Coordinates of all heavy atoms in Angstrom, one line a residue:
M1 N 57.1 119.1 131.2 CA 57.6 120.5 131.4 C 58.9 120.6 130.7 O 59.8 119.8 130.9 CB 57.8 120.7 132.9 CG 58.3 122.0 133.3 SD 58.8 122.2 135.0 CE 57.2 122.5 135.8
S2 N 59.0 121.6 129.9 CA 60.3 121.8 129.2 C 60.5 123.3 129.2 O 59.7 124.2 129.4 CB 60.3 121.3 127.8 OG 59.3 122.0 127.0
G3 N 61.8 123.6 129.0 CA 62.2 125.1 129.1 C 63.7 125.1 128.8 O 64.3 124.1 128.5
P4 N 64.2 126.3 128.9 CA 65.7 126.4 128.6 C 66.6 125.7 129.5 O 67.7 125.5 129.2 CB 65.9 127.9 128.5 CG 64.8 128.5 129.4 CD 63.6 127.6 129.3
H5 N 66.2 125.4 130.7 CA 67.0 124.7 131.7 C 66.7 123.3 132.0 O 67.1 122.7 133.0 CB 67.0 125.5 133.0 CG 67.6 126.9 132.8 ND1 66.8 128.0 132.4 CD2 68.8 127.4 133.0 CE1 67.5 129.1 132.4 NE2 68.8 128.7 132.7
T6 N 65.9 122.7 131.1 CA 65.4 121.4 131.3 C 66.5 120.4 130.7 O 66.9 120.4 129.6 CB 64.1 121.1 130.6 OG1 63.1 122.0 131.1 CG2 63.7 119.6 130.9
P7 N 67.1 119.5 131.6 CA 68.1 118.6 131.1 C 67.6 117.6 130.1 O 66.4 117.1 130.3 CB 68.7 117.9 132.4 CG 67.6 118.1 133.4 CD 66.8 119.3 132.9
R8 N 68.3 117.2 129.2 CA 67.9 116.1 128.3 C 69.1 115.3 127.9 O 70.2 115.8 127.9 CB 67.1 116.7 127.0 CG 68.0 117.5 126.2 CD 67.2 118.1 125.0 NE 68.2 118.4 124.0 CZ 68.1 118.3 122.7 NH1 67.0 117.7 122.3 NH2 69.0 118.7 121.9
A9 N 68.9 114.1 127.5 CA 69.9 113.2 127.1 C 69.9 113.0 125.6 O 68.8 112.9 125.0 CB 69.8 111.9 127.8
V10 N 71.0 113.0 125.0 CA 71.1 112.7 123.6 C 72.0 111.4 123.5 O 73.2 111.4 123.9 CB 71.8 113.8 122.8 CG1 72.0 113.5 121.3 CG2 70.9 115.1 122.9
L11 N 71.5 110.4 122.9 CA 72.2 109.1 122.8 C 72.6 108.9 121.3 O 71.8 109.1 120.4 CB 71.4 108.0 123.3 CG 71.0 108.0 124.7 CD1 70.2 106.8 125.1 CD2 72.3 108.0 125.6
R12 N 73.8 108.4 121.1 CA 74.3 108.0 119.8 C 75.0 106.8 119.9 O 76.0 106.6 120.7 CB 75.1 109.2 119.2 CG 75.7 108.9 117.9 CD 76.5 110.0 117.3 NE 77.5 109.5 116.5 CZ 78.7 109.9 116.4 NH1 79.1 111.1 117.0 NH2 79.6 109.4 115.6
F13 N 74.6 105.8 119.1 CA 75.3 104.5 119.2 C 76.3 104.4 118.1 O 76.0 104.7 116.9 CB 74.2 103.4 119.0 CG 73.3 103.3 120.2 CD1 72.1 103.9 120.2 CD2 73.7 102.6 121.3 CE1 71.2 103.8 121.3 CE2 72.9 102.6 122.4 CZ 71.6 103.2 122.4
V14 N 77.5 104.1 118.4 CA 78.6 104.0 117.4 C 79.4 102.7 117.6 O 79.3 102.1 118.7 CB 79.6 105.2 117.6 CG1 78.9 106.5 117.3 CG2 80.2 105.2 118.9
N15 N 80.0 102.3 116.6 CA 80.8 101.1 116.7 C 82.2 101.5 117.1 O 82.8 102.5 116.7 CB 80.9 100.4 115.3 CG 79.6 99.8 114.9 OD1 78.9 99.2 115.8 ND2 79.3 99.9 113.7
W16 N 82.8 100.6 117.9 CA 84.2 100.9 118.4 C 85.1 99.8 117.8 O 84.6 98.6 117.7 CB 84.3 100.9 119.9 CG 83.7 102.2 120.5 CD1 82.4 102.5 120.7 CD2 84.5 103.3 120.9 NE1 82.3 103.7 121.3 CE2 83.5 104.3 121.4 CE3 85.8 103.7 120.9 CZ2 83.9 105.5 121.8 CZ3 86.2 104.9 121.3 CH2 85.2 105.8 121.8
T17 N 86.3 100.1 117.6 CA 87.3 99.2 117.1 C 88.5 99.1 118.1 O 88.9 100.2 118.5 CB 87.8 99.5 115.7 OG1 86.7 99.5 114.8 CG2 88.8 98.5 115.2
L18 N 89.0 98.0 118.3 CA 90.2 97.8 119.2 C 91.2 97.2 118.4 O 91.1 96.0 117.9 CB 89.8 97.0 120.5 CG 90.9 96.7 121.5 CD1 91.3 98.1 122.2 CD2 90.4 95.8 122.6
T19 N 92.4 97.8 118.4 CA 93.6 97.3 117.6 C 94.9 97.6 118.3 O 94.9 98.5 119.2 CB 93.6 97.9 116.2 OG1 93.8 99.4 116.4 CG2 92.4 97.7 115.3
P20 N 95.9 96.8 118.0 CA 97.2 97.1 118.6 C 97.6 98.6 118.2 O 97.3 99.0 117.1 CB 98.2 96.1 117.9 CG 97.2 94.9 117.5 CD 95.9 95.6 117.2
D21 N 98.2 99.3 119.2 CA 98.5 100.7 119.0 C 99.9 100.7 118.3 O 100.9 100.4 118.8 CB 98.6 101.4 120.3 CG 98.7 102.9 120.1 OD1 99.0 103.3 119.0 OD2 98.6 103.6 121.1
R22 N 99.9 101.1 116.9 CA 101.1 101.2 116.2 C 101.4 102.7 115.9 O 102.2 103.0 115.0 CB 100.9 100.4 114.9 CG 100.8 99.0 115.2 CD 100.9 98.1 113.9 NE 100.8 96.7 114.2 CZ 99.7 96.0 114.2 NH1 98.6 96.5 113.9 NH2 99.8 94.7 114.5
E23 N 100.8 103.6 116.6 CA 101.1 105.0 116.4 C 102.5 105.3 116.9 O 103.1 104.6 117.7 CB 100.1 105.9 117.3 CG 98.7 105.7 116.9 CD 98.4 106.4 115.5 OE1 99.1 107.4 115.2 OE2 97.6 105.8 114.7
P24 N 103.1 106.4 116.3 CA 104.6 106.7 116.6 C 104.8 106.9 118.1 O 105.9 106.6 118.6 CB 104.9 107.9 115.8 CG 103.8 107.9 114.7 CD 102.6 107.2 115.2
D25 N 103.8 107.4 118.8 CA 103.9 107.7 120.2 C 103.5 106.5 121.1 O 103.4 106.7 122.4 CB 103.2 109.0 120.6 CG 101.7 108.9 120.4 OD1 101.3 108.0 119.7 OD2 101.0 109.8 121.0
A26 N 103.1 105.4 120.5 CA 102.7 104.3 121.4 C 103.8 103.7 122.2 O 105.0 103.8 121.9 CB 102.1 103.2 120.5
A27 N 103.4 103.2 123.4 CA 104.4 102.5 124.2 C 104.9 101.3 123.5 O 104.2 100.7 122.7 CB 103.7 102.1 125.5
P28 N 106.2 100.9 123.7 CA 106.7 99.7 123.0 C 106.1 98.5 123.6 O 105.8 98.5 124.8 CB 108.3 99.8 123.3 CG 108.4 100.6 124.5 CD 107.2 101.6 124.6
M29 N 106.2 97.4 122.8 CA 105.8 96.1 123.4 C 107.0 95.6 124.2 O 108.1 95.8 123.8 CB 105.5 95.2 122.2 CG 105.0 93.8 122.6 SD 104.3 92.9 121.2 CE 103.8 91.4 122.1
T30 N 106.7 95.0 125.3 CA 107.7 94.5 126.3 C 107.5 93.1 126.6 O 106.3 92.6 126.4 CB 107.8 95.3 127.5 OG1 106.5 95.2 128.2 CG2 108.1 96.8 127.3
Y31 N 108.6 92.4 127.0 CA 108.5 90.9 127.3 C 109.2 90.7 128.6 O 110.1 91.4 129.0 CB 109.3 90.2 126.2 CG 108.8 90.4 124.8 CD1 109.3 91.4 124.0 CD2 107.8 89.6 124.2 CE1 108.9 91.7 122.7 CE2 107.4 89.9 123.0 CZ 108.0 90.9 122.2 OH 107.5 91.2 121.0
A32 N 108.7 89.8 129.3 CA 109.4 89.3 130.6 C 109.1 87.8 130.7 O 108.3 87.3 130.1 CB 108.8 90.1 131.8
M33 N 109.8 87.2 131.6 CA 109.7 85.8 132.0 C 109.4 85.7 133.5 O 109.9 86.4 134.2 CB 110.9 85.0 131.6 CG 111.2 84.9 130.1 SD 109.9 84.1 129.1 CE 110.2 82.4 129.4
R34 N 108.4 84.8 133.8 CA 108.1 84.6 135.2 C 108.2 83.1 135.5 O 107.7 82.2 134.8 CB 106.6 85.1 135.5 CG 106.2 84.9 137.0 CD 104.8 85.3 137.2 NE 103.9 84.5 136.5 CZ 103.0 85.0 135.6 NH1 102.8 86.2 135.3 NH2 102.2 84.1 135.0
C35 N 108.9 82.8 136.6 CA 109.0 81.4 137.1 C 107.7 80.9 137.6 O 107.1 81.5 138.5 CB 110.1 81.3 138.1 SG 110.3 79.6 138.8
D36 N 107.2 79.8 137.0 CA 106.0 79.2 137.5 C 106.1 78.5 138.9 O 105.1 78.2 139.5 CB 105.5 78.2 136.5 CG 105.0 78.8 135.2 OD1 104.7 80.1 135.2 OD2 105.0 78.2 134.2
V37 N 107.3 78.2 139.3 CA 107.6 77.5 140.6 C 107.6 78.5 141.8 O 106.8 78.4 142.7 CB 108.9 76.8 140.6 CG1 109.1 76.1 141.9 CG2 108.9 75.7 139.4
C38 N 108.3 79.6 141.6 CA 108.4 80.6 142.7 C 107.8 81.9 142.5 O 107.7 82.7 143.5 CB 109.9 80.7 143.1 SG 110.9 81.6 141.9
G39 N 107.4 82.2 141.3 CA 106.7 83.5 141.0 C 107.7 84.7 140.8 O 107.3 85.7 140.4
K40 N 109.0 84.5 140.9 CA 110.0 85.5 140.6 C 109.9 85.7 139.1 O 109.7 84.8 138.3 CB 111.3 85.2 141.1 CG 111.4 85.2 142.6 CD 112.9 84.9 143.1 CE 112.9 84.9 144.6 NZ 114.2 84.6 145.1
G41 N 110.4 86.9 138.7 CA 110.4 87.2 137.2 C 111.5 88.2 136.8 O 112.1 88.9 137.6
S42 N 111.7 88.2 135.5 CA 112.7 89.1 135.0 C 112.1 90.5 134.9 O 110.8 90.7 135.0 CB 113.0 88.7 133.6 OG 112.0 88.8 132.6
V43 N 112.9 91.5 134.6 CA 112.4 92.8 134.2 C 111.7 92.8 132.9 O 112.1 92.0 132.0 CB 113.5 93.9 134.3 CG1 114.1 94.0 135.7 CG2 114.6 93.6 133.2
A44 N 110.8 93.6 132.6 CA 110.2 93.8 131.3 C 111.1 94.6 130.5 O 111.7 95.6 130.9 CB 108.9 94.5 131.4
A45 N 111.4 94.1 129.2 CA 112.2 94.8 128.3 C 111.7 94.7 126.8 O 110.9 93.8 126.6 CB 113.6 94.2 128.4
V46 N 112.1 95.6 126.0 CA 111.7 95.5 124.6 C 112.4 94.3 123.9 O 111.8 93.7 123.1 CB 112.2 96.8 123.9 CG1 111.9 96.8 122.4 CG2 111.4 98.0 124.6
D47 N 113.6 94.0 124.3 CA 114.3 92.8 123.8 C 113.9 91.6 124.6 O 114.2 91.4 125.7 CB 115.8 93.1 123.9 CG 116.7 91.9 123.5 OD1 116.1 90.9 123.0 OD2 117.9 92.0 123.7
F48 N 113.2 90.7 123.9 CA 112.8 89.4 124.6 C 113.9 88.6 125.1 O 113.7 87.7 126.0 CB 111.8 88.6 123.7 CG 112.4 88.0 122.5 CD1 113.1 86.8 122.6 CD2 112.4 88.6 121.3 CE1 113.7 86.2 121.5 CE2 113.0 88.1 120.1 CZ 113.7 86.9 120.2
G49 N 115.1 88.8 124.6 CA 116.3 88.0 125.0 C 116.6 88.3 126.5 O 117.2 87.4 127.1
V50 N 116.3 89.4 127.0 CA 116.6 89.8 128.4 C 115.9 88.8 129.3 O 116.4 88.2 130.3 CB 116.2 91.2 128.7 CG1 116.2 91.5 130.2 CG2 117.0 92.2 127.9
G51 N 114.6 88.5 129.1 CA 113.8 87.6 129.9 C 114.3 86.2 129.7 O 114.3 85.4 130.7
H52 N 114.6 85.8 128.5 CA 115.1 84.5 128.3 C 116.4 84.2 128.9 O 116.5 83.1 129.5 CB 115.1 84.2 126.7 CG 113.8 84.1 126.1 ND1 113.6 83.6 124.8 CD2 112.6 84.5 126.5 CE1 112.4 83.7 124.5 NE2 111.7 84.3 125.5
S53 N 117.3 85.1 128.9 CA 118.5 85.0 129.6 C 118.4 84.8 131.1 O 119.0 84.0 131.8 CB 119.5 86.1 129.3 OG 119.9 86.2 128.0
W54 N 117.4 85.6 131.6 CA 117.1 85.6 133.1 C 116.6 84.2 133.4 O 117.0 83.6 134.4 CB 116.0 86.6 133.4 CG 115.6 86.5 134.8 CD1 116.2 87.1 135.9 CD2 114.6 85.7 135.4 NE1 115.6 86.7 137.1 CE2 114.6 85.8 136.8 CE3 113.6 84.9 134.8 CZ2 113.6 85.2 137.6 CZ3 112.7 84.2 135.6 CH2 112.7 84.4 137.0
A55 N 115.7 83.7 132.6 CA 115.1 82.3 132.9 C 116.3 81.3 132.9 O 116.2 80.3 133.7 CB 114.1 81.9 131.8
L56 N 117.2 81.3 132.0 CA 118.2 80.3 132.0 C 119.2 80.5 133.2 O 119.5 79.4 133.8 CB 119.1 80.5 130.7 CG 118.4 80.1 129.4 CD1 119.2 80.6 128.2 CD2 118.1 78.7 129.3
R57 N 119.5 81.7 133.6 CA 120.3 81.9 134.8 C 119.5 81.4 136.0 O 120.0 80.8 136.9 CB 120.6 83.4 135.0 CG 121.7 83.8 134.1 CD 122.2 85.2 134.5 NE 121.2 86.2 134.7 CZ 120.6 87.0 133.7 NH1 121.0 86.8 132.5 NH2 119.6 87.8 134.0
H58 N 118.2 81.7 136.1 CA 117.3 81.3 137.2 C 117.3 79.8 137.4 O 117.4 79.2 138.4 CB 116.0 81.9 137.1 CG 115.1 81.7 138.3 ND1 115.2 82.4 139.5 CD2 114.0 80.9 138.5 CE1 114.3 82.0 140.3 NE2 113.5 81.1 139.7
S59 N 117.1 79.1 136.2 CA 117.2 77.6 136.2 C 118.5 77.1 136.7 O 118.5 76.1 137.4 CB 116.8 77.1 134.8 OG 115.5 77.3 134.5
G60 N 119.6 77.7 136.3 CA 120.9 77.3 136.7 C 121.1 77.4 138.2 O 121.8 76.6 138.8
R61 N 120.5 78.5 138.8 CA 120.6 78.6 140.2 C 119.6 77.8 141.0 O 119.7 77.6 142.2 CB 120.5 80.1 140.6 CG 121.6 81.0 140.0 CD 121.4 82.4 140.4 NE 122.4 83.2 139.8 CZ 122.2 84.3 139.0 NH1 121.0 84.7 138.8 NH2 123.2 85.0 138.5
N62 N 118.5 77.4 140.3 CA 117.4 76.7 141.0 C 117.0 75.5 140.1 O 116.0 75.7 139.3 CB 116.2 77.6 141.2 CG 116.5 78.9 142.0 OD1 116.6 78.9 143.2 ND2 116.8 80.0 141.3
P63 N 117.7 74.4 140.1 CA 117.6 73.3 139.2 C 116.2 72.7 139.1 O 115.8 72.1 138.1 CB 118.6 72.3 139.6 CG 119.6 73.1 140.4 CD 118.9 74.2 141.0
S64 N 115.3 72.9 140.2 CA 114.0 72.3 140.1 C 113.0 73.4 139.5 O 111.8 73.1 139.3 CB 113.5 71.9 141.5 OG 113.4 73.1 142.4
H65 N 113.4 74.5 139.2 CA 112.6 75.6 138.5 C 112.8 75.5 137.0 O 113.7 76.2 136.4 CB 112.9 77.0 139.0 CG 112.7 77.2 140.5 ND1 112.6 78.4 141.1 CD2 112.7 76.3 141.6 CE1 112.4 78.2 142.4 NE2 112.5 77.0 142.8
H66 N 112.0 74.7 136.4 CA 112.1 74.5 134.9 C 110.9 74.9 134.1 O 110.9 74.6 132.9 CB 112.6 73.1 134.7 CG 111.8 72.1 135.3 ND1 110.7 71.6 134.7 CD2 112.0 71.4 136.4 CE1 110.1 70.7 135.5 NE2 110.9 70.6 136.5
T67 N 109.9 75.5 134.7 CA 108.7 75.9 133.9 C 108.5 77.5 134.1 O 108.6 78.0 135.3 CB 107.4 75.2 134.4 OG1 107.3 75.4 135.8 CG2 107.5 73.7 134.1
Y68 N 108.3 78.2 133.0 CA 108.2 79.6 133.0 C 107.0 80.0 132.1 O 106.6 79.3 131.2 CB 109.5 80.2 132.4 CG 110.7 79.9 133.3 CD1 111.4 78.7 133.2 CD2 111.1 80.8 134.2 CE1 112.4 78.4 134.0 CE2 112.1 80.6 135.1 CZ 112.8 79.4 135.0 OH 113.8 79.1 135.8
T69 N 106.6 81.3 132.4 CA 105.5 81.9 131.5 C 106.1 83.2 131.0 O 106.6 83.9 131.7 CB 104.3 82.2 132.4 OG1 103.8 81.0 132.9 CG2 103.3 82.9 131.6
E70 N 105.9 83.3 129.6 CA 106.3 84.6 129.1 C 105.2 85.6 129.3 O 104.0 85.2 129.1 CB 106.6 84.4 127.6 CG 107.0 85.7 126.9 CD 107.2 85.5 125.4 OE1 106.3 84.9 124.7 OE2 108.2 86.1 124.9
V71 N 105.5 86.8 129.7 CA 104.6 87.9 129.9 C 104.9 88.9 128.8 O 105.9 89.6 128.9 CB 104.7 88.4 131.3 CG1 103.7 89.6 131.5 CG2 104.5 87.4 132.4
A72 N 104.0 89.1 127.8 CA 104.1 90.0 126.8 C 103.1 91.2 127.0 O 102.0 90.9 127.3 CB 103.9 89.4 125.5
T73 N 103.6 92.4 127.0 CA 102.7 93.6 127.2 C 102.7 94.4 125.9 O 103.7 94.9 125.4 CB 103.2 94.4 128.3 OG1 103.3 93.7 129.5 CG2 102.2 95.6 128.5
R74 N 101.5 94.4 125.3 CA 101.3 95.1 124.0 C 100.4 96.2 124.2 O 99.2 96.0 124.7 CB 100.7 94.1 122.9 CG 100.4 94.7 121.6 CD 99.7 93.7 120.7 NE 100.3 92.4 120.7 CZ 101.0 91.8 119.7 NH1 101.1 92.4 118.6 NH2 101.4 90.6 119.9
P75 N 100.7 97.4 123.7 CA 99.7 98.6 123.9 C 98.6 98.4 122.9 O 98.8 98.0 121.7 CB 100.6 99.8 123.5 CG 101.7 99.3 122.7 CD 101.9 97.9 123.1
W76 N 97.4 98.7 123.2 CA 96.2 98.7 122.4 C 95.6 100.1 122.3 O 95.7 100.9 123.2 CB 95.2 97.6 122.9 CG 95.7 96.3 122.6 CD1 96.7 95.6 123.3 CD2 95.3 95.3 121.6 NE1 96.9 94.4 122.8 CE2 96.0 94.2 121.7 CE3 94.3 95.4 120.6 CZ2 95.8 93.0 120.9 CZ3 94.1 94.4 119.8 CH2 94.9 93.2 119.9
R77 N 94.9 100.3 121.2 CA 94.1 101.5 121.0 C 92.6 101.3 120.6 O 92.4 100.5 119.8 CB 94.9 102.3 119.8 CG 94.3 103.6 119.6 CD 95.2 104.3 118.5 NE 94.8 105.6 118.2 CZ 95.3 106.7 118.8 NH1 96.2 106.5 119.8 NH2 94.9 107.9 118.5
C78 N 91.8 102.0 121.2 CA 90.3 101.9 120.9 C 89.9 103.2 120.3 O 90.2 104.3 120.7 CB 89.6 101.7 122.3 SG 87.9 101.1 122.0
W79 N 89.1 103.1 119.2 CA 88.7 104.3 118.5 C 87.3 104.0 117.9 O 87.0 102.9 117.6 CB 89.7 104.7 117.4 CG 90.2 103.6 116.5 CD1 91.2 102.7 116.8 CD2 89.7 103.3 115.2 NE1 91.3 101.8 115.7 CE2 90.4 102.2 114.7 CE3 88.7 103.8 114.4 CZ2 90.2 101.6 113.5 CZ3 88.5 103.2 113.1 CH2 89.2 102.2 112.7
M80 N 86.6 105.1 117.7 CA 85.2 105.0 117.0 C 85.4 104.8 115.6 O 86.2 105.5 114.9 CB 84.5 106.3 117.3 CG 83.8 106.5 118.6 SD 82.7 107.9 118.8 CE 83.8 109.2 118.9
S81 N 84.7 103.9 115.1 CA 84.8 103.5 113.7 C 83.5 103.8 112.8 O 83.5 103.5 111.7 CB 85.2 102.0 113.5 OG 84.1 101.2 114.1
G82 N 82.6 104.5 113.5 CA 81.5 104.9 112.7 C 80.3 105.3 113.5 O 80.0 105.3 114.6

């Protein structure tokens, strides 16, 4: 049964590409450090030195806290490529 009000689906398969977002309006890449011992962390900042300075101060105040994880946040963009 078909007519002017019959729903139908149209499918189109396309390739998608995922790349770092380098557009002028993209969010900036940010860095932070997280202590692997207690879970506390620095603020996220564009300057990676902010997190590194935090880790050195945190280690000075907590001598047994000497392992850290860098947390980098990079914006990505997905777009149809064909």
